[in-house]
Amino acid sequence: LASTVFWFNPVVWLATRYSKLDMEKACDDRVIRATNQKYDYASLILDVIELSNAPAWDVKGRLTMASKNELRSRMTSILDDHLDRNRVNRRTLFLVAMLTLLILVPLASMRMVIDGPPDQPINKTIDHYIQLLDSGSENDQKYAAWALGSSENSKAAAALVGQLDHANPEVRSVVLWALGELKVHQTLPALIRTINDQEPLVREMAAKAIGELENTRGIAPLRSLSKDPSVGVRTAAIWALGEINTQKSLKLVREALSDPANEVVTMALRVLGQTHCLKAVPQIALLLQTNDIELKVAAIKALDQMHFNKTMPYLTTRLSDENELVRTQAAKALGNLGNKEALPFLMPLLQDSSVAVREMAVWALDELQF
């Protein structure tokens, strides 16, 4: 919540990052306390990192430990024989809480004396933010645009459109995000004019805003953005075409399966799976032959989302894949499909060398009511 409200403050993002790192280390300690297998655990993390190269839009798939220094620090902590991994007891937590209160309460009181009673209500009006957007500092303008977008009040649309020519590309980007949140169809021509902006981030946000409108008139400009030099812009354009979700827009998404960037192809697979685009099945099946594990897994997930019996022959071929993550995902997809014809293909997995694959096979067989 703090990162959302104070997105423009880099200190908040740093604090959030370090907090996530601390949470990961706390999880490491808990696993090691439970298993006492720190070397196996460290090896497993390295294997996961090798396989988990999530695309920029797949936020949940990203690992917190992005840099080599952070990874080195985490590995050192895991393998440290002298590190105290015991839980913090209640007495310590109580003392820390009391110490925090002793510090913060006086400070809060001092702030109240200095600031005095508030002159205005905390919740600013739409008019206030429109005025701030027009005449505030650049940071104020970004915050005002964010607030107006969050309000989802169409009254703010005209004021936001007026800032699309702002000199600062960061302001233009937030304004485009806000217009996407408002979903006012009359703003589409203004949004389309921004697809030729010199800044890739602005073009990316323009694609997202056009997609939010889900208007078929946005297909032509999104086609142009799907060929953009920037991977981020192309990825955003494919997402937006999926939001429009017509035969014409999904045809462009299918064409993106041949994009040279994994991020774009992965987004196209996600869109085609979510929209149950059965016309894409043969093209997706071709990606199952690639040597890229990330793309193979993404292709299996797309077929899984379709729940289409004709995908079964393609999924069964991946049960013998040399990569255990691919075999596991294929078994899961067959379980979700629920076709009992998959039974003879799943049975051999009960003898698989991977525990994860064997467990998934048991789950899939249970889904087939074996």
Side-chain angles (χ1 to χ4, degrees), residues 229-341:
S230 165
V231 172
V233 175
R234 298 202 303 274
T235 304
I238 297 307
W239 173 86
L241 287 165
E243 291 298 292
I244 296 175
N245 192 10
T246 65
Q247 290 188 9
K248 188 175 180 181
S249 67
L250 292 182
K251 181 177 182 294
L252 295 173
V253 176
R254 296 202 305 273
E255 292 175 2
L257 291 175
S258 59
D259 193 281
N262 275 16
E263 291 91 336
V264 180
V265 177
T266 302
M267 178 57 70
L269 287 168
R270 184 177 301 127
V271 168
L272 294 169
Q274 290 173 348
T275 55
H276 302 271
C277 183
L278 302 183
K279 288 184 178 180
V281 170
Q283 290 173 271
I284 296 174
L286 290 176
L287 290 174
L288 295 177
Q289 309 302 321
T290 181
N291 293 324
D292 191 305
I293 294 172
E294 176 192 339
L295 290 184
K296 267 198 282 196
V297 171
I300 293 172
K301 288 182 178 179
L303 294 176
D304 185 6
Q305 288 179 304
M306 292 181 181
H307 297 289
F308 186 45
N309 278 325
K310 289 188 177 180
T311 63
M312 193 180 79
Y314 303 118
L315 294 172
T316 55
T317 63
R318 294 303 93 203
L319 294 177
S320 57
D321 195 276
E322 61 183 10
N323 183 271
E324 68 175 89
L325 182 59
V326 174
R327 298 197 302 277
T328 303
Q329 194 65 48
K332 179 182 178 183
L334 288 169
N336 287 330
L337 190 59
N339 190 328
K340 291 187 178 181
E341 293 181 9

Side-chain angles (χ1 to χ4, degrees), residues 95-114:
L95 291 174
V96 170
M98 291 303 296
L99 180 61
T100 303
L101 287 174
L102 288 173
I103 295 173
L104 293 182
V105 169
L107 287 176
S109 301
M110 290 172 63
R111 181 177 180 84
M112 288 175 66
V113 171
I114 294 171

